[in-house]
Amino acid sequence: MKSNIIINLSVEGVHCWPECPIEEVSFLKNPHRHVFQIECKKEVSHLDRDIEIIRLKRQVQYYLLNKYGIGDFNAEGCDFGRMSCEQIAVELLGKFELNYCKVLEDGENGAEVLL
């Protein structure tokens, strides 16, 4: 049997795709705002809180705000620059040894990355 813990969090932020080749969505070339909704899954070795769920969620939030946060006390969210949803997910997979990460823009569109 395998078991995962699951965390969900939201982070307000901006990103852009300066190289966007699609005229219909050329506005993506400029920085634009989203609420990035992130779901992470991490395998655990037993069923008695191998990893504390709330603690992992706080670690992921702190990491993102510490690395990408903008404004006073990071109150304006994160500036992900040119990063795509896929790239944010891959970074979190590596940093927190996750086996799954999903990043959605405004709860609608995005990506999931699995190990």
Side-chain angles (χ1 to χ4, degrees):
M1 177 173 70
K2 288 188 176 185
S3 181
N4 290 315
I5 59 168
I6 302 169
I7 63 165
N8 288 283
L9 59 128
S10 297
V11 177
E12 184 178 345
V14 296
H15 71 163
C16 61
W17 185 19
E19 300 82 13
C20 178
I22 306 163
E23 185 60 35
E24 181 182 356
V25 290
S26 63
F27 59 87
L28 298 175
K29 293 179 179 184
N30 301 311
H32 52 280
R33 177 198 176 275
H34 293 292
V35 175
F36 292 89
Q37 294 170 320
I38 301 168
E39 179 179 314
C40 302
K41 295 181 183 180
K42 183 174 176 81
E43 189 172 344
V44 292
S45 61
H46 59 81
L47 303 178
D48 191 21
R49 294 295 160 92
D50 192 17
I51 298 166
E52 172 47 49
I53 297 168
I54 295 168
R55 187 171 184 212
L56 178 61
K57 179 178 179 175
R58 288 176 180 167
Q59 289 171 341
V60 172
Q61 287 175 318
Y62 176 81
Y63 174 78
L64 291 172
L65 289 172
N66 190 51
K67 185 169 183 181
Y68 298 105
I70 52 178
D72 292 335
F73 305 107
N74 306 318
E76 295 176 35
C78 294
D79 183 350
F80 291 112
R82 297 172 174 225
M83 292 180 78
S84 64
C85 293
E86 295 89 339
Q87 291 168 328
I88 295 168
V90 166
E91 182 171 332
L92 294 175
L93 280 171
K95 177 68 180 174
F96 295 97
E97 300 177 344
L98 307 171
N99 55 343
Y100 173 89
C101 187
K102 176 172 67 175
V103 179
L104 299 177
E105 298 172 346
D106 308 313
E108 295 180 334
N109 308 305
E112 63 181 9
V113 181
L114 313 155
L115 283 185

